[in-house]
């Protein structure tokens, strides 16, 4: 059949403007796809260096979802690791964010959709489920955890997996240097670095991103600050007076704003920074400040390329080593003992497994069919039916009760490191304007003094918790 002339077609559209379906067709909305809706998910690539895709396992997950829901098309926008925080935060503020965004972007609670009501209803991809929230491991995502709700007390993101971190190491490099793994104490780690250097390796791969500094800082502070857990533990997971298994954001804020935790006078803060500087000076890639942050590993190019002996990495990073010719393994970060520091009480290095590894939220500007489609994708990806195949191929640890961890993660999933998360964590505090940025460069590079660094920490910590207090609407006198 011959196509009508464009002008005649336009007149037909005007005449039938009251018919919504035809109006949509004339405007080009949904052309050729009936009622199909497109949603876009935007976040960093946590698995590889591909600037266009999260990898074959992710593409398979999306394909299976689209086959299950033929009326929905999912597109993926890969954002650079150094820039995704600011990009998404800016979009959320401007109201231009896509339908699903990575949960680590700073934002106001009203900029994203509260998911409480959805989590209280059945997940359609889990047979027999009555409440979506019930499929998750309650220790990591649920009422027991004080770290998965926003300042206003709402769930605003859904985890597709759990994340743990650890140290990957080159077994061949250790053998060549005569270093015995694992390195169980901080002193052992520092002593191994000259040997690894002599064998021709950068001991610890490092770059100028915030992960290498932040992970090291949080783990070190988690050990040194554990002694204050009971004193600072003032609020439960709901933000009410009480206790929590890990210090909640409100408990940390209370300690800071009442002066119980002052970076300029709490000795463990200064000692922690000194210990980290020792590690960077003795072990980190010499030119780390000029190396761009990577995706799967900290200093990933040097480590995967066989130039560095050790690297920080998540459980997602394992697949990046599929093609290397050298043997590799994993170990926890070493414990700071009394022999390593006079302020250590022997608390072992811990990280645990946390929700928030690959976790997404829905901007509040998402409405109607796009909102419904975005919720469905969260439900599918978080279910075992939707997510298990992706977990298996991406080094994933399930956030759900019935999921299974990907093979090959045993080295990161045992002992104190994995089974007991730190009771004091989250002291890598900074205001939203500094989110995703490394803030210890000056001290680590020797361009800022210890006293200058401590004062800046006090300013940043105070600003950060005041932002939290405002966002949460805390009414206590200490919070104002």
């Amino acid at each position: 059949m011959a196509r009508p002339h464009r002008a005649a077609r336009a007149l037909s559209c005007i005449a039938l403007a009251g018919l919504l379906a035809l109006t949509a067709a004339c405007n080009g909305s949904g052309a050729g796809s009936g009622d199909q809706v497109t949603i876009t998910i935007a976040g960093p690539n946590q698995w590889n260096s591909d600037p266009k895709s999260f990898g074959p396992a992710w593409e398979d997950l999306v394909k299976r979802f689209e086959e299950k829901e033929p009326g929905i098309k999912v597109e993926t926008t890969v954002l650079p690791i150094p820039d995704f925080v600011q990009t998404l935060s800016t979009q959320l503020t401007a109201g231009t964010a896509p339908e699903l965004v990575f949960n680590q972007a700073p934002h106001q609670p009203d900029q994203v959709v509260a998911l409480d009501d959805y989590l209280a209803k059945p997940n359609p991809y889990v047979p027999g489920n009555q409440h979506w929230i019930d499929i998750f491991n309650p220790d990591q995502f649920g009422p027991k955890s004080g770290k998965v709700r926003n300042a206003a007390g709402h769930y605003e993101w859904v985890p597709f997996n759990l994340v743990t971190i650890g140290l990957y190491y080159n077994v061949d490099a250790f053998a060549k240097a005569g270093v015995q793994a694992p390195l169980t104490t901080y002193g052992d780690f520092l002593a191994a670095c000259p040997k690894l250097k002599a064998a021709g390796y950068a001991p610890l791969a490092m770059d100028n991103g915030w992960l290498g500094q932040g992970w090291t800082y949080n783990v070190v502070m988690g050990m040194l600050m554990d002694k204050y857990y009971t004193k600072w533990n003032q609020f439960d997971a709901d933000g009410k007076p009480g206790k929590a298994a890990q210090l909640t954001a409100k408990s940390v804020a209370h300690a800071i704003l009442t002066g119980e935790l002052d970076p300029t006078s709490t000795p463990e803060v200064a000692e922690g920074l000194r210990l980290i500087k020792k590690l960077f000076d003795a072990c980190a890639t010499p030119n780390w400040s000029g190396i761009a942050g990577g995706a799967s590993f900290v200093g990933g190019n040097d480590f995967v390329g066989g130039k560095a002996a050790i690297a920080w990495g998540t459980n997602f990073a394992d697949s990046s080593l599929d093609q290397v010719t050298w043997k590799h393994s994993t170990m926890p970060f070493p414990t700071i003992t009394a022999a390593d520091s006079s302020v250590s009480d022997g608390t072992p290095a811990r990280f645990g497994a946390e929700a928030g590894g690959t976790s997404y939220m829905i901007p509040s500007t998402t409405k109607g069919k796009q909102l419904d489609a975005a919720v469905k994708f969260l439900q599918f990806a978080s279910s075992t039916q939707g997510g298990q195949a992706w977990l298996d191929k991406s080094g994933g640890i399930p956030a759900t009760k019935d999921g299974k961890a990907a093979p090959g993660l045993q080295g990161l999933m045992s002992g104190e490191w994995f089974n007991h998360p730190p009771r004091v964590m989250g002291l890598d505090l900074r205001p939203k304007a500094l989110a995703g940025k490394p803030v210890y460069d000056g001290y680590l590079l020797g361009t800022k003094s210890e006293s200058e660094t401590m004062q800046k920490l006090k300013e940043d910590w105070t600003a950060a918790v005041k932002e939290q207090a405002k966002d949460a609407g805390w009414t206590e006198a200490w919070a104002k």
Side-chain angles (χ1 to χ4, degrees):
M1 179 182 294
R3 292 180 178 270
H5 189 274
R6 181 175 297 179
R9 187 168 175 233
L11 288 173
S12 298
C13 287
I14 294 172
L16 297 174
L19 298 177
L20 295 179
L22 184 54
T23 302
C26 293
N27 290 334
S29 175
S33 59
D35 293 329
Q36 189 177 63
V37 60
T38 297
I39 58 173
T40 298
I41 185 167
N45 189 337
Q46 300 169 284
W47 303 272
N48 57 67
S49 299
D50 191 332
K52 297 181 179 179
S53 171
F54 292 162
W58 177 263
E59 301 302 332
D60 173 68
L61 184 153
V62 170
K63 179 181 177 182
R64 288 185 289 108
F65 174 72
E66 291 176 341
E67 290 173 348
K68 198 84 172 176
E69 300 290 345
I72 303 173
K73 179 176 176 56
V74 179
E75 296 182 347
T76 304
T77 297
V78 180
L79 299 174
I81 290 285
D83 305 323
F84 81 86
V85 169
Q86 291 301 322
T87 296
L88 294 178
S89 182
T90 299
Q91 290 177 344
L92 286 167
T93 300
T96 59
E99 290 76 20
L100 288 161
V101 298
F102 197 65
N103 75 319
Q104 293 181 21
H107 58 278
Q108 300 292 336
D110 62 359
Q111 291 175 342
V112 297
V113 174
L115 299 174
D116 305 58
D117 290 344
Y118 294 104
L119 287 163
K121 297 175 182 177
N123 182 323
Y125 307 104
V126 181
N129 173 252
Q130 297 298 312
H131 309 286
W132 183 10
I133 190 72
D134 292 340
I135 74 172
F136 297 99
N137 187 325
D139 291 331
Q140 279 87 25
F141 191 80
K144 292 173 60 177
S145 175
K147 299 178 68 177
V148 299
R149 284 176 279 183
N150 64 16
H154 298 299
Y155 295 97
E156 61 180 22
W157 50 266
V158 169
F160 300 166
N161 54 27
L162 301 181
V163 62
T164 193
I165 61 173
L167 298 175
Y168 287 73
Y169 66 95
N170 183 324
V171 174
D172 296 349
F174 271 49
K176 183 178 178 181
V179 174
Q180 183 69 39
L183 304 173
T184 58
T185 73
Y186 213 75
D188 291 340
F189 199 116
L190 293 175
C193 291
K195 298 178 182 179
L196 291 166
K197 284 183 180 179
Y201 297 91
L204 177 64
M206 191 54 61
D207 57 41
N208 62 13
W210 60 280
L211 290 178
Q213 294 181 28
W215 286 344
T216 307
Y217 183 91
N218 270 316
V219 173
V220 167
M221 288 301 178
M223 288 186 267
L224 299 184
M225 294 292 197
D226 186 76
K227 61 175 72 74
Y228 296 105
Y229 166 75
T230 301
K231 179 181 179 181
W232 294 342
N233 194 9
Q234 299 295 316
F235 297 95
D236 64 18
D238 293 318
K240 299 176 181 178
K243 305 297 179 183
Q246 288 180 286
L247 289 190
T248 62
K250 192 171 185 179
S251 286
V252 172
H254 176 267
I256 292 170
L257 294 179
T258 59
E260 292 179 0
L261 171 55
D262 184 335
T264 64
S265 59
T266 304
E268 288 78 8
V269 179
E271 177 67 357
L273 285 172
R274 294 180 199 128
L275 287 169
I276 295 167
K277 183 166 172 47
K278 283 184 181 180
L279 188 69
F280 270 66
D281 288 347
C283 306
T285 309
N287 61 334
W288 62 267
S289 64
I291 300 174
S296 55
F297 291 103
V298 174
N301 288 339
D302 282 342
F303 184 62
V304 176
K307 297 178 181 179
I310 308 169
W312 274 113
T314 68
N315 46 292
F316 315 138
D318 190 74
S319 60
S320 297
L321 300 176
D322 288 346
Q323 304 302 319
V324 300
T325 58
W326 40 271
K327 295 180 181 179
H328 61 275
S329 189
T330 57
M331 60 183 174
F333 192 82
T335 291
I336 299 169
T337 66
D340 300 320
S341 171
S342 61
V343 303
S344 169
D345 65 356
T347 298
R350 296 167 175 161
F351 187 82
E354 294 187 342
T358 304
S359 303
Y360 279 81
M361 55 191 180
I362 305 173
S364 56
T365 49
T366 305
K367 307 287 186 181
K369 292 182 178 180
Q370 275 77 17
L371 174 58
D372 294 340
V375 170
K376 285 185 177 181
F377 187 77
L378 292 179
Q379 291 171 327
F380 183 80
S382 63
S383 72
T384 301
Q385 176 190 154
Q388 186 64 58
W390 171 68
L391 292 172
D392 292 342
K393 297 176 182 178
S394 65
I397 301 172
T400 57
K401 298 174 184 176
D402 59 348
K404 297 180 180 180
L409 298 177
Q410 291 80 4
L412 297 179
M413 295 180 62
S414 61
E416 286 280 346
W417 178 254
F418 182 80
N419 294 319
H420 299 285
R423 300 191 300 175
V424 179
M425 200 171 181
L427 296 182
D428 185 26
L429 292 160
R430 61 197 68 182
K432 293 175 183 177
L434 295 178
K437 298 181 181 297
V439 296
Y440 311 107
D441 296 53
Y443 177 72
L444 295 174
L445 293 169
T447 60
K448 283 189 177 180
S449 68
E450 182 177 294
S451 60
E452 288 175 319
T453 302
M454 308 295 281
Q455 184 59 41
K456 186 64 167 62
L457 285 180
K458 183 172 183 176
E459 294 170 5
D460 287 348
W461 288 16
T462 302
V465 298
K466 283 185 175 180
E467 286 180 347
Q468 292 175 353
K470 181 179 179 181
D471 289 348
W474 295 334
T475 58
E476 293 90 343
W478 60 264
K480 296 181 179 179

